[in-house]
Amino acid sequence: MSFVTPLWPPQASAYAEQVDRLFLGFSALTVLLVLPVFILIGIFALKYRRGRDVDRTHRTRGSVWLETSWAAGPFLLVLGFFAWGVALYVDAQTEPVGALEISGTAKQWMWKFSHHPGGQREINELHVPAGEPVKITLTSQDVIHSLYLPALRLKQDVLPGRYTTLSFTADRPGTYALRCAEFCGANHAVMGGRIVVQTPRDYAQWLSRSGADKSLAERGKLLFRQYGCSGCHGPASSVKAPDLAGLYGRPVSLESGETIIADDQYIRDSILFPHRAIAAGYPPIMPTFRNVIEEEDLIALTAFIRNTRAEDWREEE
Amino acid sequence: MTDEVRLRNPYHQAAQQRSADLMGMYLFLASEIMLFGGLLAAVLALRIEHPHAVSSAAQHLKIWLGTANTVILLTSSLAVAVAVAAARFGRAALSATLFAAAGMLGVIFLGIKALEYQKEYSEGLMPFLGNARPLKDNAEFLFLNLYYVATGLHALHMTIGIAAIWTAAWRIFRRHIPVPGRAIAAEVTGLYWHFVDVVWVFLFPVFYLAR
Amino acid sequence: MSAQIRTFALVWLALILLLAMTVAAAFLPLGPAKPFVSIAIAIAKASLIFWFFMHLREDTGLLRLAAVGGALWLLILLLLMSSDLLTRT
Amino acid sequence: MSDASPLQESADPPPPRETPEEQVSYLRAGYSLKSWFFTTDHKRIAILYMVAIMFFFVVGGAAAVLMRLDLATPSADLLTSDGYNRAFTMHGVIMVWFFLIPSIPTTFGNFLIPLMIGARDLAFPRLNLLSWYIYVIAGFFTLYSLVAGGVDTGWTFYTPLSTMFANGHVMAALSAVFIVGFSSILTGLNFIVTVHKLRAPGMTWGRLPLFIWSHYATSLVLLLATPVLSITLVLLAAERMLGVGIFDPALGGDPLLYQHLFWFYSHPAVYIMLLPAMGVVSELVAAAAHKQVFGYWFIAYSSMAIAALGFLVWGHHMFVSGQSMYASAIFSLLSVAVAVPSAIKVYNWTATFYKGSVSFDPAFLFAMSFIGLFVIGGMTGLMLAMLAVDVHLHDTYFVVAHFHYIMVGGTVSAFFGALHFWWPKITGRDYTKMWGGLTAVLIFGGFNMTFFPQFLLGYLGMPRRYHSYDPEFQVLHLLSSAGASILAVGYMLPVFYLGWSLRWGKPAETNPWGATGLEWTVPSPPPKHNFEEVPVVVEGPYHYPLKHPASRD
Ligand code: HEA
Ligand code: HEA
Ligand code: CUA
Ligand SMILES: [Cu+2]
């Protein structure tokens, strides 16, 4: 056992520094609001202890003026911190434009990441370039997990059946902890690994070294045929099914009259729960692929659908 | 038959005891509101997240049987209201008869409910029972599952209610509960019955009319 | 007593009418207003039952408070929960 | 009654006189088992609860001891990972539902509410006994799930882990928590009706002791929050046992719906654990200062405000769960608001000591522990309510430290304070004050040593519910485990000197502390029906100084 203990976690991003500043600021506020209580109780208890001959006249039973000030004062002070906390939070939640995209899948008890667009995959490790915004899209294959990156002061629960995202810009190259923060069963404590923040050069090198034989979209294209999607959605198909080229990010009008943006979640739901949102004008004949397609393959399929523009489609035939 | 009110332990006055009993019942009902409220919250969430699945799943419910059942329950409530009034006026026989009749209506309600369940079973709507599943979207199951939990819980309350009002009817009839002296017992039982009725008044639109 | 019975009978009639209304409304193309209509009618029915059948009309303010208190608290649950469900991205 | 008590001979109507038999102390009113297990006397029921609750405290404490031993080293050496998960789940379940929630209300609340308001018993004595039996039946379910092998979901039972994946005895634990809920609901109902309907003549709302106000507020929460937990557990059980999917993501269900329903109960529930403790501390502070509390109405209404606002903040447990950003911001704001009434209380207690006449009794020391530790726990709770901070600290040891500071440092200290304050009244015996003081100091020290390091651990990024951890955290964990052993000694001590007092302690006076309140006007221990004559109250609470010798300067 080592007797040196760190007293402060490493800060791997500017955001982490800001969170620390907020935390320290609030700690100072705590001292400000709490110390008077401790000191005054000490003084009063000793000064007015039983049997001591001190002036006890003019005792009061209350004072509305005092009450309002010690209710409103601290409240307003904390409100300032509330605003600060919200500002930072909104900052962290806003997805940066042009971010590097990574898909993460959690399952009992490991993390799997695939990098867009190259399709590099890794387990329990996450390589990201320093100084570049990164957006991780997360989902779980079983229970709720939570991706926790202490050095970035960030955490996001990972839910089955839903995509959540975590975005950040790490600044300082280094190796930091990556943990699961939501209790997820027997090996929750060891479901972790590390996040490696690299200089963009190192990252590019890493990417090429661990290059997958196929990019995500290419793998998706293969799967698209394997799972028989192309039988209906292919251009030569006789089935009346929508053309998926250029679908991603477009508004889709549904049979129910609503319009919905075709994002990752929509495409995932269309594959797993095809009857939930029927595209307007098409027969509801698409079979469900629930329990057939794994989360990781879904990611590849989505990447493929996302990448295909109308031209790619034609060239296929 | 006596008019005398028996005072229980901590009480000094009849009025105090009576209002404590009423208040106790009302508070209990408030907690029951929250119990069913949790279910309503779940239905609301489902409706917000899957509006279409909810409305198409609701099509499978037997709206006319539900309506008939609502009429029956409202009528039973009328009977109980009159029974309580009769108890307050010391009309023991009338009160007992009406309580018994309301209980009968309750039994009919449960019978119709059972018929509904049976029909739904044969259509394959019940969770993991039956196999001819007419449902398309999985989210429709969520709605029907909630429907079974809610109506099941309501049926449980009905059963307890029937037992309670039949007991009240019998005890009033045998003068074990002398009225009007202890009409409070009838009143409190009546409150419970009306409340179970109110629960149905909400379950009916929330499930059957969600089409 | 007969006056009371008459009131009760009238309340019952009103309840049945409201029931007819709500069932009819379920078949009308009311669009998004539909659930609000049916819940509003349910609240009206419940109020009638509470007010007349359950004697809140005669009871003190305290009991009325106990009766509506539960409903108000339920509203907190429904409103704040919807604040999440309706604004998720 | 020699001193100027707030009592007056009541002239009309003639109070029911008690037979000499009924005037004997409640402890002497029968020695058979039946006279205990079928009693409807609120004081005896309080004793029954006390025994049951202390039993569960030891069981939950034993689980904590196991965890702390295991956490002394980074690797897993004492418990398997499954064993550890079961340990903290059972620890949480038992401590929350079988110890802390019922702790103060069902023991001191039960014993004191009728005495303080001048009633002969609670409004529904038989219902009170029924509540105890329900508690005991639920307790057996817990013990069954414990003995059968435990549960591995955490006390929060999050889906889909608890419904689809966990393989412990989840159903038994769910049943236990479901059943014990009815005990809570009935107790709350009983208290509310009692406070409304059984106050003695002259006991207006403005003359109620603050203990009553806080129990009244607690009861409202018990009554309105608990049913939501009950129905949520029913839905969970239906999903797990019958396969009736409700939250199941495979059907498109929403696991966050479960979290909303759970926390709609469980956040108010933390105030069920806190408010009675605040009531106790208000009494202890006034009695220690021998002075009218400062700002009576502010303290009274702040209890009601906490009970009401407490229902509006549950979403602060879900900031990183995938809840909408806007909802999170609302819940964060409301969490700041809920701190205000707590602040009011703390500042009023402080002001009460000004120009008081403070005696350093054990109860006073426990009350000081409460204030000190609660304030730290509360302020760290506020930190957690700040969105960006919570994103980092959610589900880390910082949260563990936060809630132990309030629940253990705060409420358990208040529980021990109440025990030391009302012990002479309940048992009719005096204990050795020196030992009480020593215990208070030991618990305070051991507590801080156990849980302060956990704040640091949390900020360093040590997640909770971790059975093994990075070696860099070991120093702090070791410190924490060492503190826990001091804490354990502190909690064990009273067994000896309070136990000793039962047999060898001096008989207690009617009013040993020189405190106000109707409970101090009846003999120690009180007679079976509390008051020989219905008391009539003519003055407000905390009417110091009493002419009583113990209260004079
Ligand atoms: C008795 C129990 C209890 C009490 C009273 C509280 C009180 C509070 N709690 Fe705590 N809390 C828990 C028990 C409790 N909590 C538990 C068990 C958990 C974890 C559950 C789990 O996940 O397992 C938890 C978790 C928890 C979280 C979630 C953390 C996370 O998981 O990410 C948050 C976040 O906002 C929070 C906030 C608060 C706040 C703002 C208060 C406030 O009520 C505190 C108010 C008090 C004060 C502020 C101190 C006194 C005031 C002053 C000295 C003056 C200064 C005044 C002002 C600034 C106005 N708590
Ligand atoms: C509500 C009350 C309550 C109380 C009183 C306590 C008391 C204590 N708790 Fe607990 N705790 C919780 C509620 C409580 N806790 C909750 C809700 C959780 C979350 C669970 C979850 O994550 O699901 C938790 C989690 C929790 C953890 C985190 C586990 C994890 O996340 O991995 C830890 C770790 O140190 C801990 C420690 C302690 C300690 C040392 C005490 C000490 O104060 C205990 C002291 C008491 C004693 C020591 C008993 C005295 C009796 C004896 C000494 C006899 C012992 C007998 C034998 C040894 C045979 N608790
Ligand atoms: Cu995955 Cu914890
Ligand atoms: Cu909370």
Side-chain angles (χ1 to χ4, degrees), chain B residues 103 106-107 109-110 151-167 192-193 196:
Chain B
V107 172
F109 173 95
L110 287 179
T151 51
L153 192 67
H154 180 260
L156 181 70
H157 277 76
M158 285 293 294
T159 313
I160 296 171
I162 291 170
I165 62 173
W166 274 354
T167 313
Y192 181 79
W193 188 265
V196 176

Coordinates of all heavy atoms in Angstrom, one line a residue, chain B residues 103 106-107 109-110 151-167 192-193 196:
Chain B
G103 N -74.0 -4.2 -2.8 CA -73.0 -5.2 -2.9 C -73.3 -6.2 -4.1 O -72.4 -6.6 -4.8
G106 N -72.1 -4.7 -7.1 CA -70.7 -4.9 -7.1 C -70.3 -6.2 -7.7 O -69.4 -6.3 -8.5
V107 N -71.0 -7.2 -7.3 CA -70.7 -8.6 -7.8 C -71.0 -8.6 -9.3 O -70.2 -9.2 -10.0 CB -71.6 -9.6 -7.0 CG1 -71.4 -11.0 -7.6 CG2 -71.2 -9.7 -5.6
F109 N -70.7 -6.2 -11.3 CA -69.6 -5.5 -11.9 C -68.4 -6.5 -12.1 O -67.9 -6.5 -13.2 CB -69.2 -4.3 -11.0 CG -67.9 -3.6 -11.4 CD1 -68.0 -2.5 -12.2 CD2 -66.7 -4.1 -11.0 CE1 -66.8 -1.9 -12.6 CE2 -65.5 -3.5 -11.4 CZ -65.6 -2.3 -12.2
L110 N -68.1 -7.2 -11.0 CA -67.0 -8.1 -11.1 C -67.2 -9.2 -12.1 O -66.3 -9.6 -12.9 CB -66.7 -8.7 -9.7 CG -66.1 -7.8 -8.7 CD1 -65.8 -8.5 -7.4 CD2 -64.7 -7.2 -9.2
T151 N -56.9 -2.4 -13.4 CA -58.2 -2.9 -13.2 C -58.1 -4.1 -12.2 O -59.1 -4.3 -11.4 CB -58.8 -3.5 -14.5 OG1 -57.9 -4.3 -15.2 CG2 -59.2 -2.3 -15.4
G152 N -57.0 -4.8 -12.2 CA -56.9 -5.8 -11.2 C -56.9 -5.2 -9.8 O -57.6 -5.7 -8.9
L153 N -56.1 -4.2 -9.6 CA -56.1 -3.5 -8.3 C -57.5 -3.0 -7.9 O -57.9 -3.0 -6.8 CB -55.0 -2.4 -8.3 CG -54.7 -1.8 -7.0 CD1 -53.9 -2.9 -6.2 CD2 -53.8 -0.6 -7.2
H154 N -58.1 -2.4 -8.9 CA -59.5 -1.9 -8.7 C -60.4 -3.0 -8.3 O -61.2 -2.9 -7.3 CB -60.0 -1.2 -9.9 CG -61.4 -0.6 -9.7 ND1 -62.5 -1.2 -10.2 CD2 -61.8 0.5 -9.0 CE1 -63.6 -0.5 -9.8 NE2 -63.2 0.5 -9.1
A155 N -60.3 -4.2 -9.0 CA -61.2 -5.3 -8.6 C -60.9 -5.8 -7.2 O -61.8 -6.1 -6.5 CB -60.9 -6.4 -9.6
L156 N -59.6 -5.7 -6.8 CA -59.3 -6.1 -5.4 C -60.0 -5.1 -4.4 O -60.6 -5.6 -3.4 CB -57.8 -6.0 -5.2 CG -57.3 -6.4 -3.9 CD1 -57.5 -7.9 -3.6 CD2 -55.8 -6.0 -3.7
H157 N -59.9 -3.8 -4.8 CA -60.6 -2.9 -3.9 C -62.1 -3.2 -3.9 O -62.8 -3.0 -2.9 CB -60.4 -1.5 -4.4 CG -59.1 -0.9 -3.9 ND1 -57.8 -1.3 -4.4 CD2 -58.8 0.0 -2.9 CE1 -56.9 -0.6 -3.7 NE2 -57.4 0.1 -2.8
M158 N -62.7 -3.5 -5.1 CA -64.1 -3.8 -5.1 C -64.4 -5.0 -4.2 O -65.4 -5.0 -3.5 CB -64.5 -4.2 -6.6 CG -64.6 -3.1 -7.5 SD -66.0 -2.0 -7.1 CE -67.3 -3.1 -7.5
T159 N -63.6 -6.0 -4.3 CA -63.8 -7.2 -3.4 C -63.8 -6.8 -2.0 O -64.7 -7.2 -1.2 CB -62.8 -8.3 -3.7 OG1 -62.6 -8.4 -5.1 CG2 -63.1 -9.6 -3.2
I160 N -62.9 -6.1 -1.6 CA -62.8 -5.6 -0.2 C -64.1 -4.8 0.1 O -64.7 -5.0 1.2 CB -61.6 -4.8 0.1 CG1 -60.3 -5.7 -0.1 CG2 -61.6 -4.2 1.5 CD1 -59.0 -4.9 -0.1
G161 N -64.4 -3.9 -0.8 CA -65.6 -3.1 -0.6 C -66.9 -3.9 -0.5 O -67.7 -3.6 0.4
I162 N -67.0 -4.9 -1.3 CA -68.2 -5.8 -1.2 C -68.3 -6.5 0.1 O -69.3 -6.5 0.8 CB -68.2 -6.8 -2.4 CG1 -68.4 -6.1 -3.7 CG2 -69.3 -7.9 -2.1 CD1 -68.2 -7.0 -4.9
A163 N -67.1 -7.0 0.5 CA -67.1 -7.6 1.9 C -67.5 -6.6 2.9 O -68.3 -6.9 3.8 CB -65.7 -8.2 2.1
A164 N -67.0 -5.4 2.8 CA -67.3 -4.4 3.9 C -68.7 -4.0 3.9 O -69.4 -4.0 4.9 CB -66.4 -3.2 3.6
I165 N -69.3 -3.8 2.7 CA -70.7 -3.3 2.8 C -71.7 -4.5 3.1 O -72.7 -4.3 3.7 CB -71.2 -2.5 1.5 CG1 -71.2 -3.3 0.3 CG2 -70.5 -1.2 1.4 CD1 -71.8 -2.5 -0.9
W166 N -71.3 -5.7 2.7 CA -72.2 -6.8 3.1 C -72.1 -7.0 4.6 O -73.1 -7.2 5.3 CB -71.9 -8.1 2.3 CG -72.6 -8.1 1.0 CD1 -73.5 -7.2 0.6 CD2 -72.5 -9.0 0.0 NE1 -74.0 -7.5 -0.6 CE2 -73.3 -8.6 -1.1 CE3 -71.7 -10.2 -0.2 CZ2 -73.5 -9.4 -2.2 CZ3 -71.8 -10.9 -1.4 CH2 -72.7 -10.5 -2.4
T167 N -70.9 -6.9 5.2 CA -70.8 -6.9 6.6 C -71.6 -5.9 7.3 O -72.4 -6.1 8.2 CB -69.3 -6.8 7.0 OG1 -68.5 -7.6 6.2 CG2 -69.2 -7.1 8.5
Y192 N -65.9 4.6 1.7 CA -64.9 3.7 1.0 C -65.5 3.3 -0.4 O -64.9 3.3 -1.4 CB -64.6 2.5 1.8 CG -63.6 1.5 1.2 CD1 -62.3 1.8 1.2 CD2 -64.0 0.4 0.6 CE1 -61.4 1.0 0.6 CE2 -63.1 -0.5 0.0 CZ -61.8 -0.2 0.0 OH -60.9 -1.0 -0.6
W193 N -66.8 2.9 -0.3 CA -67.5 2.4 -1.5 C -67.5 3.5 -2.6 O -67.2 3.3 -3.8 CB -68.9 1.9 -1.2 CG -69.5 1.3 -2.4 CD1 -70.3 1.8 -3.3 CD2 -69.3 -0.1 -2.8 NE1 -70.7 0.9 -4.3 CE2 -70.0 -0.3 -4.0 CE3 -68.6 -1.2 -2.3 CZ2 -70.1 -1.5 -4.7 CZ3 -68.6 -2.4 -3.0 CH2 -69.4 -2.5 -4.2
V196 N -64.1 3.9 -4.2 CA -63.8 2.9 -5.2 C -64.5 3.2 -6.5 O -64.0 3.0 -7.6 CB -64.2 1.5 -4.7 CG1 -63.9 0.4 -5.8 CG2 -63.3 1.2 -3.5

